[in-house]
Amino acid sequence: MVNYPSRLSLACVPTPFHCLERLSARLNGPRIWIKRDDLTGCVSSGNKVRKLEFILAQAVTSGCDTLITAGGTQSNHCRAVAISGAQLGLKVHLLLRSDVDADPVGNLFIDLLSGATINHYTPEEYSNLESLFAHWSSHYLDLGATPWVIPVGGSNAAGLWGYIAVAEELKHDFQAANINPGIIIHATGSGGTQAGLIAGVKLHNLDLCVHGYAVCDNATYFDDKIRTDLATWKHEYSVDIDVDLLPVITNDKYLGPGYGRAGPEVFDTIRMLAAEEGVILDPVYSGKAFYGMLEEIKSGRYANEKDIVFLHTGGIFGLLAQQQQLQF
Ligand SMILES: *Cc1c(COP(=O)(O)O)cnc(C)c1O
């Protein structure tokens, strides 16, 4: 039995789990299954709300009334915080890194609609994020409010529990489908999903190897980040597993031109999967990872696998913000 900390009910879970039959048959490789965490909610869709169930339980228990967090202009995490904060009656303040003139579309549109207070910072200003967090925290304390800072991507010790819980959900999914997949693939950005899955697979005794596909930074970065986060989590929750022995596997071959920017091969993949399976990927995260997975399947990397799982982490609002990249 895994001892979860307290949790709010914000996500529509368990999410569906099914096989991509036509795609798998056409590729003639392993059967590809998909875990639909793009369906954790409508405007709260994606992986971030999974982490927020645990992060915000902690925040609410501590008596916080103001959430402060940060990310890119099209941050799915910031959008999930904006929506969840509105659902809980908390004030939300977002610090956004805006390197382009920010059109109020996609995630930013939802942020604005949900009434979040927003500050835009240049990449240079944003590079000192810790001091921005400190500045706004003391601002709210001075006003007599109780702020709660959530790190980028919600990737802290509390947030890890979100994907530890997903490992448990997957165990039931595999039993129901009567399969025993050896690999799960997903897009990795701030590392919390990957760290949570790695810990969850261990805690729930799954025979499953977690392959994070980087959308920014290289494998060494993720190794460090995830090992640090796992060590913090172990310490904070006194978990009795040797986190140093856990495997951290990151594929950094498919991040393309950089964070938030994708090449035509990613948009082609998005178009293909939408038409062939009715599943919508995004150009910042899931589309890059899915494209990478297809390339690896074609190159024979997963030839020994009967079944593999793609974790769809969401991101549709990021696609809507880049619609002009697709011509019809
Ligand atoms: C944030 C995000 C990821 C990456 O998750 P991390 O836990 O930050 O590594 C993947 N896909 C989507 C759609 C995201 O919004």
Side-chain angles (χ1 to χ4, degrees):
M1 269 298 289
V2 174
N3 222 336
Y4 290 95
S6 63
R7 172 182 191 171
L8 300 177
S9 179
L10 298 171
C12 301
V13 293
T15 54
F17 179 79
H18 60 87
C19 182
L20 297 174
E21 311 256 358
R22 286 172 295 280
L23 177 66
S24 304
R26 179 166 64 77
L27 292 178
N28 207 8
R31 267 195 305 186
I32 306 169
W33 298 75
I34 190 163
K35 178 64 173 168
R36 299 293 302 273
D37 272 14
D38 57 324
L39 299 179
T40 49
C42 178
V43 277
S44 49
S45 70
N47 61 345
K48 299 309 181 308
V49 68
R50 292 268 201 185
K51 307 176 188 190
L52 290 172
E53 290 200 317
F54 292 95
I55 295 170
L56 296 182
Q58 220 180 25
V60 167
T61 307
S62 81
C64 120
D65 55 21
T66 305
L67 303 172
I68 305 173
T69 195
T73 316
Q74 285 299 329
S75 165
N76 294 306
H77 163 69
C78 289
R79 180 253 311 155
V81 172
I83 284 294
S84 304
Q87 286 172 354
L88 296 168
L90 304 172
K91 181 181 166 58
V92 174
H93 193 139
L94 304 176
L95 317 180
L96 300 183
R97 185 191 62 235
S98 311
D99 28 20
V100 284
D101 274 341
D103 282 334
V105 296
N107 285 298
L108 182 55
F109 173 72
I110 306 289
D111 298 343
L112 292 163
L113 200 57
S114 60
T117 300
I118 296 175
N119 280 94
H120 294 277
Y121 293 101
T122 65
E124 198 190 341
E125 291 164 335
Y126 186 89
S127 68
N128 206 346
L129 184 58
E130 288 315 312
S131 71
L132 295 176
F133 278 147
H135 167 79
W136 286 110
S137 294
S138 60
H139 169 83
Y140 284 108
L141 286 169
D142 289 348
L143 293 177
T146 310
W148 187 269
V149 172
I150 305 172
V152 172
S155 291
N156 60 8
L160 285 204
W161 290 103
Y163 275 84
I164 292 169
V166 171
E168 185 172 4
E169 231 177 88
L170 285 167
K171 198 169 182 172
H172 297 294
D173 292 333
F174 298 169
Q175 274 161 6
N178 198 18
I179 56 170
N180 196 7
I183 291 170
I184 184 164
I185 290 163
H186 67 94
T188 191
S190 63
T193 301
Q194 196 172 350
L197 280 176
I198 290 169
V201 159
K202 176 73 184 171
L203 288 176
H204 295 292
N205 297 312
L206 278 139
D207 198 8
L208 187 65
C209 198
V210 180
H211 288 195
Y213 277 50
V215 301
C216 53
D217 300 300
N218 62 22
T220 312
Y221 168 85
F222 282 101
D223 203 77
D224 288 351
K225 169 84 165 88
I226 287 163
R227 290 194 182 283
T228 307
D229 289 356
L230 283 169
T232 309
W233 165 77
K234 175 187 162 75
H235 180 76
E236 253 179 58
Y237 293 95
S238 309
V239 194
D240 186 21
I241 56 176
D242 192 344
V243 292
D244 294 335
L245 296 180
L246 299 176
V248 177
I249 299 167
T250 310
N251 183 327
D252 59 8
K253 277 176 17 200
Y254 301 101
L255 49 95
Y259 177 75
R261 288 176 296 140
E265 68 286 355
V266 172
F267 288 100
D268 289 347
T269 302
I270 293 172
R271 202 190 288 257
M272 175 279 291
L273 198 70
E276 191 163 17
E277 296 282 357
V279 173
I280 310 292
L281 301 166
D282 78 293
V284 184
Y285 294 99
S286 57
K288 279 188 185 175
F290 203 92
Y291 168 74
M293 174 183 75
L294 295 181
E295 288 298 293
E296 297 287 320
I297 288 173
K298 288 178 196 158
S299 77
R301 165 125 189 248
Y302 297 128
N304 294 331
E305 305 297 323
K306 189 156 173 269
D307 296 284
I308 62 176
V309 179
F310 182 81
L311 169 66
H312 192 332
T313 43
I316 189 163
F317 297 105
L319 172 65
L320 298 181
Q322 293 195 34
Q323 282 184 56
Q324 69 287 357
Q325 303 272 352
L326 284 158
Q327 306 291 322
F328 295 97

